[in-house]
Amino acid sequence: MGLHESMIVLALTLSCFLSSVCLAQERSFFSGNLSDSDTIVSSLGTFRFGFFAPVNSTSRYAGIWYSNIPVQTVIWVANKDKPINDSSGVISVSEDGNLVVTDGQRRVLWSTNISTQAPRANSTVAEVLDTGNLVLKDDNSETTLWESFRHPTDSWLPNMVVGTNARTAGENITITSWKSPSDPSPGSYTAALVLAAYPELFIMNKDNNNATVWRSGPWNGQMFNGLPDVDPGVIFLFRFTVNDDTNGSVTMSYANDSTLRYLYMDYRGSVIRRDWSEARRNWTVGLQVPASECDIYRRCGPFTTCNPRKTPPCSCIKGFRPRRLIEWNNGNWSGGCIRRTPLQCERQNNNGSADGFTRLRRMKLPDFAIRSEASEPDCLRTCLQTCSCIACAHGLGYGCMIWNGSLVDSQELPAGGMDLYIRLAHSEIKTPDRRPVIIGSSLAGGILVVAACGLLVRRLVMKRRARKKGRDAEQIFNRVEALAGDAESSENSDPKASINDVTITDVSGR
Ligand SMILES: *[C@@H]1O[C@H](CO)[C@@H](O)[C@H](O)[C@H]1NC(C)=O
Ligand SMILES: *[C@@H]1O[C@H](CO)[C@@H](O)[C@H](O)[C@H]1NC(C)=O
Ligand SMILES: *[C@@H]1O[C@H](CO)[C@@H](O)[C@H](O)[C@H]1NC(C)=O
Ligand SMILES: *[C@@H]1O[C@H](CO)[C@@H](O)[C@H](O)[C@H]1NC(C)=O
Ligand SMILES: *[C@@H]1O[C@H](CO)[C@@H](O)[C@H](O)[C@H]1NC(C)=O
Ligand SMILES: *[C@@H]1O[C@H](CO)[C@@H](O)[C@H](O)[C@H]1NC(C)=O
Ligand SMILES: *[C@@H]1O[C@H](CO)[C@@H](O)[C@H](O)[C@H]1NC(C)=O
Ligand SMILES: *[C@@H]1O[C@H](CO)[C@@H](O)[C@H](O)[C@H]1NC(C)=O
Ligand SMILES: *[C@@H]1O[C@H](CO)[C@@H](O)[C@H](O)[C@H]1NC(C)=O
Ligand SMILES: *[C@@H]1O[C@H](CO)[C@@H](O)[C@H](O)[C@H]1NC(C)=O
Ligand SMILES: *[C@@H]1O[C@H](CO)[C@@H](O)[C@H](O)[C@H]1NC(C)=O
Ligand SMILES: *[C@@H]1O[C@H](CO)[C@@H](O)[C@H](O)[C@H]1NC(C)=O
């Protein structure tokens, strides 16, 4: 027991001796039983733990809710699929040290179910913290035996661990929707932060083999690529802290630390961020996904992009055509699109010119990105050297990302997003009406390397300006923006590369 807690206990004990208001004191912990009418409250009064009945229901559940606000807001439930139909329920620390919920007939409806060696009811206490975490701890050794933050129901609270590293055999920590606003039993939807090649939020449908319903796009350390950049504050309110000491656990917090703000999964399968508005005396919705038709996973099938601001929203990526034209024209886009011209490595004897890329801008990146070892400046070139690579992208925090096989669930965002480079046969890029931009010959006539965007490009442009070398080149830089060539370094680094130029067309350039 910490000094702070010891003092609280002392104060409580003293007040019991000095007056008769002992029972009126609100505790944040207990070690015996809580009956239906008892609650404990966190030390600053933010969260309360005890029995509640959901809106429009008479069933009783043990759970945690926001204590200081007039709208019932439950963030965690114990006996979620085993309600108690009267007020006979008891929450207790059992003889083996587990926290259990029992009904009037002493049947165990829920238990923390930790294996304990010796009976230790007399040294185990349950405490609700001001973060909303309910912890069961051994008071003698001060060890945490169990905590509700590791077993979330439908809510993610700030400072909760929302992921453990899959690379160290971690499991996905999921939140699960309620069945309805009146029934906290597990509904159809779950959400998890999946730590694969890149951390990413997923919503899945449990009743459909855990099929993905929505994905956020990959996390680059600051934001999810696919979350609309309309209100930058929305995105940067998330902050995931990867902590290697605890096996790569990922914690969620918010840039603006406020406890009256959390994420939960609505019974209809949306993930919603709620912010408490003192002015309205109600929650306001800060962010809700999925939001648009294009947010629905694979809305348009493979090799398409989806843009909810267009009618129809689905279109084939340049260089691809509908797989089944009649279905496609009838608005059944699930078949997606197929490549019009085989890539060079797919053609006999590799004849013809080298493949190139078309750039799609402001993209929510497709699913199944692979983290490449290639450096960012080498990203496109590395892709061209591997026949299976069909697209790539690079950016701060992501490094070089490549895609093999298929491209699904990409979306054109109104703002933000990333440049996505789609590999195409040379002939597809030279479409005259698209005004191809061919760089290579104009740049010192050497081998060309496509370099990274952002600062690096600016630096290269500045360097070239300083050298006053090649006005043409500078114009091309300005037009292509995200691409840069550096003849000298590439000559040294890869003398026998068969790629003598990288042809890029800018689809959005009129
Ligand atoms: C409280 O717990 C003890 C020990 O488990 C039990 O004997 C007692 O009957 C419980 N009290 C209530 C009101 O359930
Ligand atoms: C509760 O029931 C009332 C009356 O049937 C209904 O109008 C209201 O929408 C219900 N509330 C919820 C949260 O289901
Ligand atoms: C509560 O449920 C039990 C069985 O789970 C049943 O025997 C009992 O009659 C119910 N009580 C009420 C008041 O509905
Ligand atoms: C408790 O844990 C044991 C194994 O540790 C498991 O067999 C049992 O099903 C669990 N019970 C509940 C209610 O989760
Ligand atoms: C805990 O309770 C058991 C029996 O209920 C007793 O034998 C033991 O001494 C107690 N331990 C402590 C530390 O009080
Ligand atoms: C986590 O979820 C992802 C996405 O559904 C799945 O591919 C992966 O296998 C899951 N990982 C574990 C350890 O269950
Ligand atoms: C869905 O995922 C959950 C948690 O990862 C897992 O327990 C369950 O078996 C999966 N269901 C199916 C049908 O794959
Ligand atoms: C990390 O994971 C390994 C294997 O799962 C486990 O043995 C180890 O105790 C974990 N370490 C911590 C600090 O959780
Ligand atoms: C944090 O949020 C509060 C309430 O929403 C707001 O008044 C305050 O300005 C915010 N602070 C920062 C640094 O954004
Ligand atoms: C609180 O806001 C929700 C929508 O976010 C609305 O449905 C509800 O009626 C509001 N409640 C009050 C008391 O204004
Ligand atoms: C769309 O086409 C696919 C494949 O041909 C078919 O299985 C599916 O039923 C069609 N969907 C609709 C809504 O017609
Ligand atoms: C590749 O060779 C085949 C057969 O020799 C020929 O038909 C085709 O036009 C060539 N393709 C290109 C792009 O040169």
Side-chain angles (χ1 to χ4, degrees):
M1 198 183 279
L3 180 63
H4 182 65
E5 288 160 63
S6 307
M7 286 177 69
I8 293 174
V9 173
L10 184 66
L12 282 172
T13 316
L14 277 178
S15 67
C16 285
F17 280 121
L18 297 176
S19 70
S20 57
V21 298
C22 176
L23 290 175
Q25 295 282 346
E26 295 235 88
R27 294 172 302 161
S28 68
F29 56 89
F30 76 102
S31 55
N33 309 335
L34 288 183
S35 70
D36 184 85
S37 55
D38 296 334
T39 58
I40 56 172
V41 67
S42 64
S43 56
L44 297 177
T46 316
F47 292 97
R48 195 172 282 274
F49 173 61
F51 283 100
F52 72 96
V55 182
N56 287 355
S57 169
T58 54
S59 297
R60 310 288 297 169
Y61 299 88
I64 303 168
W65 62 93
Y66 278 96
S67 177
N68 278 340
I69 58 176
V71 180
Q72 186 195 59
T73 309
V74 175
I75 53 125
W76 185 80
V77 186
N79 53 320
K80 35 184 194 292
D81 45 9
K82 291 188 179 160
I84 300 168
N85 57 10
D86 52 25
S87 58
S88 66
V90 176
I91 303 165
S92 56
V93 176
S94 69
E95 275 171 32
D96 67 0
N98 273 298
L99 186 66
V100 297
V101 176
T102 49
D103 65 7
Q105 280 105 47
R106 299 265 167 117
R107 286 177 303 200
V108 174
L109 303 179
W110 177 85
S111 165
T112 48
N113 203 24
I114 46 175
S115 53
T116 52
Q117 301 91 341
R120 44 180 178 185
N122 47 8
S123 66
T124 305
V125 296
E127 177 172 17
V128 62
L129 307 179
D130 265 306
T131 53
N133 195 6
L134 177 71
V135 297
L136 188 67
K137 59 185 180 184
D138 182 23
D139 224 10
N140 293 337
S141 60
E142 291 255 2
T143 50
T144 298
L145 306 170
W146 179 93
E147 52 186 324
S148 64
F149 265 23
R150 290 291 179 138
H151 304 271
T153 56
D154 70 340
S155 303
W156 276 323
L157 284 115
N159 302 311
M160 189 184 252
V161 171
V162 293
T164 60
N165 199 330
R167 280 170 291 223
T168 52
E171 69 202 79
N172 296 329
I173 299 176
T174 59
I175 53 172
T176 303
S177 64
W178 286 22
K179 266 220 171 75
S180 79
S182 317
D183 181 1
S185 64
S188 303
Y189 300 98
T190 59
L193 182 78
V194 176
L195 301 182
Y198 297 90
E200 187 161 355
L201 283 176
F202 282 86
I203 298 177
M204 290 155 282
N205 186 342
K206 241 170 356 113
D207 297 342
N208 184 18
N209 284 318
N210 292 335
T212 301
V213 173
W214 172 86
R215 51 182 277 275
S216 64
W219 174 259
N220 71 349
Q222 287 200 302
M223 59 186 288
F224 292 105
N225 153 262
L227 280 184
D229 199 5
V230 188
D231 172 8
V234 169
I235 286 169
F236 293 106
L237 284 169
F238 295 103
R239 184 186 294 151
F240 292 95
T241 317
V242 178
N243 186 346
D244 284 331
D245 297 342
T246 52
N247 268 346
S249 66
V250 178
T251 311
M252 181 175 63
S253 62
Y254 298 99
N256 187 341
D257 224 1
S258 159
T259 40
L260 287 170
R261 170 178 289 154
Y262 75 112
L263 282 170
Y264 81 110
M265 175 144 233
D266 165 63
Y267 73 102
R268 287 164 293 207
S270 299
V271 169
I272 297 174
R273 198 193 87 217
R274 279 177 147 181
D275 303 296
W276 179 254
S277 161
E278 206 40 62
R280 291 197 212 168
R281 306 291 291 157
N282 197 355
W283 293 103
T284 55
V285 171
L287 169 76
Q288 179 164 1
V289 290
S292 76
E293 180 180 10
C294 292
D295 279 354
I296 306 299
Y297 188 66
R298 299 185 78 138
R299 182 74 188 90
C300 302
F303 299 107
T304 59
T305 63
C306 193
N307 184 339
R309 296 162 300 280
K310 282 187 182 159
T311 344
C314 301
S315 55
C316 288
I317 292 173
K318 177 176 148 67
F320 292 78
R321 60 177 165 79
R323 176 184 289 276
R324 291 183 286 266
L325 191 61
I326 295 168
E327 268 175 20
W328 180 271
N329 287 339
N330 284 333
N332 182 348
W333 301 297
S334 62
C337 303
I338 52 172
R339 193 180 285 287
R340 279 201 302 234
T341 312
L343 296 175
Q344 187 188 30
C345 64
E346 297 166 344
R347 293 193 297 260
Q348 257 184 9
N349 307 323
N350 288 358
N351 66 354
S353 306
D355 300 330
F357 291 95
T358 187
R359 178 176 59 166
L360 309 180
R361 309 173 87 180
R362 294 187 301 276
M363 297 300 287
K364 174 179 177 178
L365 298 171
D367 201 2
F368 308 115
I370 297 169
R371 194 186 283 269
S372 164
E373 294 302 317
S375 66
E376 283 187 47
D378 281 342
C379 194
L380 272 70
R381 189 167 51 134
T382 304
C383 181
L384 281 187
Q385 287 167 347
T386 318
C387 191
S388 59
C389 180
I390 53 169
C392 57
H394 50 79
L396 203 64
Y398 292 113
C400 174
M401 320 167 88
I402 61 167
W403 284 264
N404 294 329
S406 187
L407 299 176
V408 295
D409 199 46
S410 62
Q411 188 183 143
E412 210 180 317
L413 301 171
M418 281 188 47
D419 286 349
L420 174 65
Y421 296 92
I422 310 287
R423 183 175 180 177
L424 294 179
H426 191 262
S427 62
E428 287 292 344
I429 286 161
K430 277 183 156 179
T431 315
D433 66 324
R434 291 287 187 181
R435 283 223 253 154
V437 178
I438 301 170
I439 34 182
S441 57
S442 46
L443 291 180
I447 299 167
L448 185 77
V449 172
V450 177
C453 60
L455 289 173
L456 179 55
V457 172
R458 211 165 300 155
R459 211 193 66 212
L460 287 169
V461 170
M462 297 301 279
K463 201 167 93 187
R464 283 178 190 277
R465 275 202 188 120
R467 280 197 234 144
K468 293 214 186 307
K469 184 181 169 189
R471 286 255 148 232
D472 294 356
E474 195 178 313
Q475 279 162 9
I476 288 164
F477 268 108
N478 291 339
R479 255 181 87 191
V480 182
E481 283 170 27
L483 300 163
D486 195 326
E488 293 103 35
S489 69
S490 65
E491 258 160 12
N492 298 336
S493 66
D494 202 352
K496 58 180 173 53
S498 62
I499 311 133
N500 286 337
D501 55 12
V502 176
T503 306
I504 310 290
T505 61
D506 184 350
V507 273
S508 65
R510 274 122 279 163

